[in-house]
Amino acid sequence: MARFAAVLLAAAAATLLAAGQLTHAVPSTAGVFWRAVLPSSAVPDAVLQLLRPGTAGNNFVSEAEADGAGAPNLPFDYQNYERSSAPYGYDYKPSSAPYGYDYKAPSEGGEAAPGEHHHAGRGEAATTTTVFFHEEAVRVGERLRFRFPAAAPAALGFLPRHVADAIPFTTPALPSILALLGVAPGTAQAAAMAETLRTCESPPLAGEAKFCATSLEALVERAMEALRTRRVRAVTSTLPRAGAPLQQYTVRAVRPVDGASFVACHDEAYPYTVYRCHSTGPARAYMVEMEGAREGAVTVATVCHTDTSRWNPEHVSFKLLGTKPGGAPICHLMPYGHIIWAKSVKRSPA
């Protein structure tokens, strides 16, 4: 991945220095931008790390792991929920998931509870983790099983906006993009990049806001546009970057997030940071504090979709929870690095 950075910086610098544009490092521009337009919203840890990839002590994946960056953060792989046949970008595509998902009653190891699935990677024993759950589970005292994967951010992090805007981001331009970033055609990473471009270019559903952002500035501005206000805030999960093993978590506290609809952003497979964002439709959001049975307390941002009437009847959540479109709200958490954008509500003093 160091080779990607060298190629990118050489090519971008040659182009942009000639135009007199390359004048600031990302932290000094994007960081200042965030503080200027979102003074009441702290920069989430995951975003902060993307502004300074490769710095000591940031727990980023190693270079060898980074060469595989873009692999899904299983089991919470929301990249595999294409929008072509289901609202809100959650159309399960089992063939593309590296782990073996089995939503039937397993022949051994016991049956999964509603909302859970069994998965097993190479050389791993089968485990069961919660993916989707009903809103009733978002209550103090409820218990859910989760495995939180290690962070797998784009190796180059956020590019300066003027650099990102100078790099083509369309399917027809993919050959030149691969050449610029030093990615060999025909590789798994090239295929993942092609899928990201395809996903970003797919049309939104009627009434849905959808966009892909290749810089922090574009991410914030487009979220404001989708929510129709400049008063927004970023809501993210507080999770260990190194991940956490499968264990049972007990809900200790639940804090509602103000709003009736939100914008959810998921990081996509690409050498530099790309977020795919979409409006949630009618929804409720919560910050859920949970304590692990064996180790660690976490706080997870959770979205509960309250209107699933237009969802694909074959959507995996219905299979897992035994429900149908238009039934009870369906919830899922936001993995590390994923963002919920909410309107910032100014409260009156008590």
Side-chain angles (χ1 to χ4, degrees):
M1 188 54 67
R3 180 166 60 92
F4 296 165
V7 172
L8 172 63
L9 292 178
T15 300
L16 298 171
L17 276 174
Q21 297 175 335
L22 191 56
T23 56
H24 299 287
V26 177
S28 63
T29 55
V32 169
F33 170 83
W34 183 287
R35 289 191 294 272
V37 301
L38 300 172
S40 61
S41 181
V43 182
D45 175 74
V47 172
L48 193 62
Q49 299 305 319
L50 292 171
L51 293 177
R52 54 187 188 205
T55 55
N58 68 357
N59 278 353
F60 259 45
V61 291
S62 67
E63 183 170 315
E65 291 171 313
D67 281 334
N73 271 359
L74 292 164
F76 310 113
D77 178 18
Y78 297 109
Q79 299 178 69
N80 284 338
Y81 296 77
E82 286 194 323
R83 71 180 50 265
S84 58
S85 60
Y88 316 128
Y90 299 117
D91 178 17
Y92 185 60
K93 189 169 65 173
S95 61
S96 65
Y99 288 1
Y101 289 88
D102 182 5
Y103 297 101
K104 299 178 181 178
S107 57
E108 57 183 351
E111 294 190 4
E116 297 181 337
H117 74 259
H118 287 254
H119 67 82
R122 294 179 182 176
E124 295 180 350
T127 57
T128 304
T129 187
T130 306
V131 177
F132 293 98
F133 44 95
H134 285 309
E135 198 168 17
E136 287 76 10
V138 188
R139 294 187 301 193
V140 173
E142 291 294 318
R143 296 176 180 178
L144 295 166
R145 290 169 59 85
F146 288 114
R147 178 180 71 85
F148 298 107
L156 297 179
F158 272 119
L159 297 183
R161 185 175 197 169
H162 54 274
V163 174
D165 289 349
I167 299 174
F169 193 74
T170 64
T171 296
L174 182 59
S176 62
I177 298 171
L178 297 178
L180 173 63
L181 300 180
V183 180
T187 61
Q189 187 172 28
M193 292 170 65
E195 177 66 11
T196 292
L197 291 171
R198 187 202 65 76
T199 301
C200 287
E201 292 169 348
S202 63
L205 294 170
E208 180 191 40
K210 174 238 178 177
F211 61 90
C212 284
T214 59
S215 68
L216 181 66
E217 294 90 338
L219 175 64
V220 174
E221 290 173 355
R222 296 296 299 275
M224 290 177 170
E225 181 182 327
L227 290 172
R228 299 182 179 180
T229 177
R230 293 187 62 81
R231 296 184 59 84
V232 303
R233 65 189 183 102
V235 180
T236 60
S237 298
T238 302
L239 299 168
R241 294 179 213 144
L246 177 71
Q247 60 183 309
Q248 184 168 265
Y249 286 86
T250 301
V251 177
R252 296 304 188 194
V254 178
R255 302 192 309 273
V257 176
D258 290 318
S261 63
F262 309 89
V263 171
C265 294
H266 313 284
D267 58 339
E268 292 289 311
Y270 223 68
Y272 56 88
T273 299
V274 173
Y275 272 100
R276 173 179 57 84
C277 304
H278 59 90
S279 54
T280 62
R284 286 185 284 269
Y286 304 93
M287 294 299 290
V288 183
E289 297 178 17
M290 303 188 300
E291 184 175 347
R294 297 195 304 275
E295 59 180 71
V298 299
T299 300
V300 294
T302 300
V303 176
C304 294
H305 298 277
T306 58
D307 181 6
T308 61
S309 60
R310 295 190 302 125
W311 285 30
N312 182 349
E314 297 302 313
H315 184 273
V316 66
S317 62
F318 299 132
K319 298 178 184 296
L320 289 172
L321 298 174
T323 57
K324 298 178 180 180
I330 291 178
C331 307
H332 63 81
L333 61 80
M334 297 293 282
Y336 180 89
H338 295 216
I339 303 170
I340 299 172
W341 290 98
K343 293 181 180 180
S344 183
V345 178
K346 187 175 182 180
R347 300 184 182 279
S348 301

